[in-house]
Amino acid sequence: SRRRRRREAARNEAAAAAAAGDVEDQPLLRGIFEVKKKSCDVVLSAQRLRWSRITPESPLGGSSIGLHRKEESVEMKDVFSIKLKRRRFAGQEKGGILLGITIFVCLNKEGNKLKDATIHLGNISEDHCYVWYRSLKTILMGFPNRPKSLKVFVNPTSHKKEATQIYYEQAAPLFKLADITTDVTGSTNILAHTLNGIQHTQTATLHIILGHLKSVDMCTFSSPFKPLRFGFSSMFGFGSRTLALAEKHRWIPPNQRKNFAVIKTLANLRPEDCEISFLPLKHLQQDSQENDRIQGHFLNVSIMAIPCLCSVAPRGLAPNTRLDDGSIALITVRNTSRQEFIRHLKRYASLKNQFSFPFIDTYIVEEVKVCPRIGMKHIPADNLNCTGSEENTYPWNIDGDLVEWATEVHIRCQAAEFGCCKGCNCEKQS
């Protein structure tokens, strides 16, 4: 019967998968190395590296009492670098006395953290070590998606302007170990919490090295005259004015500075007069392919390509956004009373819908134009970036960076790939 044939086909597929797994776990090499100063029987397969201590025989034959062959192992998919270990004298850059092989692995820690660790296989035989070294490297080269070269974006103004130092101290050495060439330039770290569930430099670096990549939507920002920058989240209005005020008081400790800026901006709450045009996502469009337009006074305008999970908004600043569907979220907060606006802000820290207010509208779009309607007629073409008086420029909060632009801003969505934790937040949000 058809049901019987399906059962047989399923059994055959399961048997084939099991056979393939057995083949991958077949020993490729077996040898003796010293691990943690103990002689060990080491076995290499395509899937894993296993080792167990070699136990001495008792005079009467058999194993000595109390000694057991406890096997340890590491999955090859968690190995990110193989090096020959040598002892070199002071000033010696090449050569040296061979001591064995060092294997660099990635370990899972608590709270989604990753940590690098080393396994030393001690053996002074050049021939023996080279055979193992070549086999280990061949296995690593067979893993797909692991990068050989990277363009790394570092935001020089973030983390008290220590981001560049953090990169060169924590991330760059790991890239070098993995033989990945890098070209470093500037950007942001806004993706860390959303993709990995944690803001941790080493974790993000190891995900990249191991080829844990995820397609992620990002935004390009441009003026009518030239491209400005790219990013993943942006705020115009309350979110940007709060950041601008905080940046003017850098001498205040971070947490106190944030609270001060929020309270001060709320005390002087005022809307922005602007016109917003946007192109709805294609499959959401009705008959017209033209941009929709809204205008008026807005307390805040948010344009988000990712959910933007953070400590103040566990569900995200834009919880309905997906990571890689080619869309960005447009969230507009029209002018309302200070009390109602504060109610809206408090919702971010709760499980309630922060957008269920009559003065808030949300849209799923492909591109957005934001055009302030005050002081625009007399702005020269060369006064576009971070120049001019306060009347001629408007603060924007781009991924937590303060920028000032004196013209309409055009935001478009495009895709990119970034390192992430498979099975973590990103898959829940896709």
Side-chain angles (χ1 to χ4, degrees):
S1 67
R2 183 179 300 176
R3 183 177 299 176
R4 183 182 301 169
R5 289 196 298 271
R6 284 201 298 265
R7 286 200 299 265
E8 290 178 355
R11 283 197 296 268
N12 291 337
E13 289 178 2
D22 291 340
V23 170
E24 289 184 352
D25 209 30
Q26 288 293 319
L28 301 175
L29 290 174
R30 187 166 196 161
I32 297 176
F33 288 90
E34 192 175 83
V35 182
K36 297 180 181 178
K37 299 182 179 181
K38 302 293 183 182
S39 293
C40 292
D41 178 22
V42 183
V43 180
L44 174 66
S45 69
Q47 281 190 332
R48 61 181 58 87
L49 179 73
R50 312 191 308 269
W51 64 95
S52 57
R53 182 179 171 185
I54 298 174
T55 58
E57 293 185 355
S58 67
L60 299 178
S63 298
S64 299
I65 298 175
L67 293 178
H68 302 282
R69 291 171 59 90
K70 181 181 178 181
E71 185 176 87
E72 298 181 68
S73 66
V74 62
E75 297 291 317
M76 288 302 298
K77 64 181 178 63
D78 295 328
V79 175
F80 66 90
S81 183
I82 308 291
K83 301 292 182 184
L84 290 172
K85 184 179 181 181
R86 296 182 182 275
R87 178 185 292 123
R88 294 190 175 110
F89 298 103
Q92 185 179 4
E93 296 182 359
K94 296 182 179 180
I97 301 172
L98 181 67
L99 300 178
I101 301 171
T102 299
I103 300 172
F104 296 87
V105 299
C106 176
L107 302 179
N108 285 297
K109 305 293 286 185
E110 294 181 359
N112 294 326
K113 281 188 179 181
L114 299 183
K115 181 181 180 181
D116 64 302
T118 56
I119 300 170
H120 299 289
L121 304 181
N123 194 304
I124 61 174
S125 170
E126 293 269 356
D127 293 339
H128 187 63
C129 286
Y130 272 112
V131 169
W132 278 74
Y133 175 79
R134 286 193 295 268
S135 296
L136 288 164
K137 292 287 284 187
T138 299
I139 294 173
L140 292 193
M141 291 174 63
F143 289 114
N145 300 325
R146 293 197 177 186
K148 303 299 181 186
S149 61
L150 294 169
K151 181 176 285 292
V152 180
F153 299 98
V154 179
N155 179 2
T157 64
S158 70
H159 204 276
K160 300 180 181 179
K161 299 186 178 181
E162 295 176 353
T164 302
Q165 179 183 350
I166 291 173
Y167 167 76
Y168 282 108
E169 289 181 355
Q170 300 183 27
L174 291 174
F175 287 140
K176 185 177 180 180
L177 268 180
D179 298 320
I180 297 174
T181 58
T182 57
D183 177 21
V184 182
T185 183
S187 183
T188 180
N189 192 34
I190 191 67
L191 280 177
H193 202 142
T194 296
L195 292 183
N196 301 323
I198 188 173
Q199 296 188 42
H200 189 246
T201 303
Q202 193 176 43
T203 296
T205 304
L206 288 170
H207 281 310
I208 294 170
I209 291 172
L210 293 175
H212 299 168
L213 302 180
K214 177 69 178 178
S215 294
V216 178
D217 293 328
M218 61 186 296
C219 297
T220 59
F221 297 83
S222 61
S223 75
F225 307 96
K226 64 179 181 179
L228 299 172
R229 62 172 290 163
F230 69 87
F232 302 92
S233 67
S234 59
M235 285 184 282
F236 176 74
F238 177 81
S240 58
R241 293 198 177 278
T242 300
L243 178 61
L245 185 60
E247 289 297 311
K248 291 181 179 179
H249 296 79
R250 297 290 299 179
W251 53 272
I252 302 177
N255 290 335
Q256 297 177 28
R257 182 170 67 245
K258 292 177 183 177
N259 293 336
F260 165 79
V262 169
I263 294 172
K264 188 74 172 178
T265 308
L266 282 173
N268 299 311
L269 189 64
R270 61 184 176 88
E272 301 287 356
D273 184 10
C274 60
E275 179 181 282
I276 302 171
S277 62
F278 56 90
L279 181 65
L281 193 63
K282 288 181 180 178
H283 72 267
L284 298 178
Q285 293 179 20
Q286 302 298 323
D287 298 330
S288 175
Q289 298 292 316
E290 297 181 357
N291 286 7
D292 290 342
R293 294 179 183 272
I294 54 177
Q295 61 185 23
H297 292 81
F298 300 91
L299 290 176
N300 194 69
V301 178
S302 298
I303 300 116
M304 308 284 186
I306 60 176
C308 297
L309 277 64
C310 59
S311 58
V312 297
R315 295 176 59 243
L317 298 175
N320 296 329
T321 311
R322 294 295 176 262
L323 290 176
D324 60 350
D325 64 351
S327 72
I328 48 182
L330 169 63
I331 304 162
T332 62
V333 182
R334 292 185 178 271
N335 194 18
T336 187
S337 68
R338 183 181 292 106
Q339 181 180 3
E340 285 297 292
F341 185 68
I342 292 174
R343 286 184 60 207
H344 157 61
L345 295 181
K346 287 182 176 180
R347 287 275 185 94
Y348 279 100
S350 70
L351 297 178
K352 295 181 179 179
N353 183 0
Q354 61 261 44
F355 306 132
S356 60
F357 293 92
F359 53 87
I360 298 179
D361 296 303
T362 61
Y363 310 88
I364 303 298
V365 303
E366 293 182 21
E367 56 184 275
V368 184
K369 284 184 181 179
V370 179
C371 181
R373 296 199 296 175
I374 297 177
M376 291 299 299
K377 294 182 179 180
H378 306 291
I379 299 173
D382 59 352
N383 185 22
L384 298 177
N385 269 304
C386 303
T387 59
S389 65
E390 290 186 0
E391 289 77 20
N392 287 341
T393 61
Y394 296 86
W396 281 76
N397 182 336
I398 310 294
D399 299 336
D401 296 339
L402 177 65
V403 294
E404 293 184 354
W405 292 324
T407 183
E408 72 176 40
V409 178
H410 191 177
I411 303 103
R412 296 181 178 90
C413 181
Q414 69 178 49
E417 279 196 332
F418 294 86
C420 72
C421 174
K422 289 188 176 180
C424 194
N425 289 352
C426 59
E427 294 191 355
K428 299 175 185 176
Q429 298 160 15
S430 297

